[in-house]
Amino acid sequence: MITAYILRNDVWETRELGVEDGIPEHTLWIDLFRPDDDERQWLSRYLYEEAPDEEDINEIEASARFYLDNDGLHINSLFPQRVGHEVRAINVFFLVQPSRLFTIREEDVGLIRLMRNYLRLGRVEADRPEALLVELFNLKVDYLSDQLEDVYTVLDELSEEVFDNDKLDEVFKQITLQEDGNGKIRLALLDTQRGLRFMQRYYRRHLHEEEIKDVKEMLSDIESLLPHTQFLFDKINFLLDAAMGFTSLQQNKIIKIFSVAAVVFLPPTLIASIYGMNFISMPELRWEVGYPLALGLMLSSAVGTYWFFKRKGWL
């Protein structure tokens, strides 16, 4: 799907385009969502190079994610997307040309939808493709900050449940989800930092003073957020160790009960084994009080062993 965002007389207009259409006048942003081969071919009409495919967009080396060529500024950036309790990292391709911004994405991104709503409501003051890109990155950094706060809130709640035996399974599941989410948030922050530094270093002359200031503020915010992700990793590891330790303690208690039970019943078992033998020369076989005496010995040996353990504080 090809969507054109047109700025005319300070009013944004959205229009869906087909592969037979051209780019309307005053178009500032072209967004391609899950483009097929025909739509990529349509985009290639306005580029010197071929339109990137999904494999190109998902490259991880810096030289393939941030570069300048005859088409303009290329940036592949990771955008976080929360799906239920999980956080996914989605690559979005940006191409900044003097007159318009192109984006390509294979999956839905909440921040793109938010940006579209802001444009419709007139809450974005941007009349240049560079300003649109900076605004999107501003939204992204704010969203990542909110996600880190959510992770901390969840971990704070888990710290109160980590010693609840009935909730251990859910605690382990949540710890795993928060570790994965925090890792993807940190990765998105680092990727954004690299992209902004590339813009600051190689694309600075195309940015206005206000945009340069916004880039510096975003880099400063990212610098302050990165240590926070490390703090969350440490907290996650602490909670995981605490949960594992508590689980081991509970298991040890169960094993301790079985061990004490085995020791308590060992003397009665020994007595029963002795009098269970069938030798002819056993004098106790003809005792009239032999049976109750054997039962008394077994009971007293079990009680005595239990009392000894209790006195020692082992129970």
Side-chain angles (χ1 to χ4, degrees):
M1 183 173 65
I2 306 172
T3 306
Y5 297 89
I6 305 163
L7 180 61
R8 185 180 289 112
N9 298 324
D10 295 328
V11 177
W12 287 93
E13 175 188 344
T14 303
R15 186 181 303 175
E16 303 296 333
L17 303 180
V19 293
E20 69 281 354
D21 298 324
I23 296 179
E25 191 178 2
H26 303 297
T27 297
L28 200 61
W29 178 18
I30 297 289
D31 179 45
L32 286 84
F33 177 51
R34 292 177 180 165
D36 55 26
D37 293 338
D38 291 336
E39 290 170 336
R40 292 182 191 278
Q41 188 63 35
W42 175 89
L43 176 60
S44 297
R45 295 187 223 162
Y46 304 96
L47 306 178
Y48 289 99
E49 305 291 339
E50 291 185 358
D53 56 21
E54 185 175 1
E55 185 177 348
D56 296 328
I57 295 174
N58 292 327
E59 293 285 351
I60 61 173
E61 61 269 20
S63 60
R65 297 184 69 81
F66 320 106
Y67 61 94
L68 284 166
D69 63 9
N70 293 330
D71 286 320
L73 172 67
H74 297 253
I75 292 180
N76 293 340
S77 187
L78 281 172
F79 274 69
Q81 176 74 10
R82 183 167 287 280
V83 181
H85 295 291
E86 299 182 7
V87 176
R88 299 183 61 187
I90 301 171
N91 275 299
V92 179
F93 168 81
F94 294 90
L95 171 59
V96 184
Q97 292 184 341
S99 59
R100 64 182 61 94
L101 169 69
F102 290 99
T103 56
I104 301 176
R105 52 197 173 96
E106 295 296 332
E107 298 185 50
D108 189 24
V109 178
L111 288 177
I112 300 292
R113 295 199 308 270
L114 181 63
M115 185 67 172
R116 184 170 61 233
N117 290 333
Y118 280 178
L119 292 176
R120 180 174 54 84
L121 297 173
R123 295 179 57 181
V124 178
E125 296 180 1
D127 57 358
R128 304 169 59 250
E130 292 84 0
L132 269 177
L133 178 63
V134 170
E135 186 63 29
L136 270 168
F137 273 71
N138 256 319
L139 290 176
K140 178 183 176 182
V141 173
D142 289 343
Y143 181 76
L144 289 170
S145 176
D146 292 340
Q147 290 299 302
L148 285 176
E149 292 176 5
D150 291 344
V151 172
Y152 181 82
T153 300
V154 173
L155 292 178
D156 198 41
E157 294 173 355
L158 287 177
S159 63
E160 300 177 2
E161 300 176 354
V162 72
F163 297 120
D164 189 337
N165 197 36
D166 295 332
K167 297 181 179 180
L168 271 179
D169 289 342
E170 183 62 25
V171 166
F172 278 115
K173 180 180 178 180
Q174 284 297 326
I175 288 176
T176 302
L177 288 173
Q178 298 312 312
E179 193 279 336
D180 180 68
N182 190 49
K184 289 175 179 176
I185 292 170
R186 180 178 176 84
L187 183 62
L189 283 170
L190 291 170
D191 186 75
T192 305
Q193 184 184 57
R194 290 194 301 169
L196 291 173
R197 284 179 175 172
F198 184 88
M199 288 175 59
Q200 193 180 50
R201 182 176 302 175
Y202 299 105
Y203 206 70
R204 187 185 183 92
R205 63 187 179 88
H206 298 280
L207 302 176
H208 287 179
E209 183 177 348
E210 188 66 27
E211 294 157 5
I212 294 174
K213 180 181 177 181
D214 287 342
V215 170
K216 287 182 178 179
E217 289 180 355
M218 282 188 282
L219 286 172
S220 177
D221 290 341
I222 291 173
E223 288 290 343
S224 66
L225 290 174
L226 285 174
H228 197 69
T229 63
Q230 184 58 50
F231 164 75
L232 290 178
F233 275 128
D234 293 339
K235 187 174 181 66
I236 288 169
N237 288 331
F238 170 76
L239 289 176
L240 183 60
D241 291 341
M244 291 292 292
F246 182 69
T247 302
S248 299
L249 183 62
Q250 295 301 104
Q251 291 175 342
N252 288 338
K253 286 182 178 179
I254 295 173
I255 295 173
K256 180 181 179 181
I257 292 173
F258 282 107
S259 300
V260 170
V263 174
V264 166
F265 288 103
L266 181 61
T269 302
L270 176 63
I271 295 171
S273 299
I274 292 174
Y275 290 111
M277 295 184 291
N278 295 316
F279 295 111
I280 296 177
S281 59
M282 290 180 65
E284 294 89 344
L285 290 177
R286 299 184 182 276
W287 287 5
E288 292 183 2
V289 294
Y291 177 68
L293 181 61
L295 291 179
L297 283 173
M298 286 189 285
L299 179 62
S300 60
S301 63
V303 172
T305 305
Y306 177 82
W307 173 82
F308 178 78
F309 274 63
K310 193 75 173 178
R311 186 179 180 184
K312 288 291 185 179
W314 296 345
L315 291 176

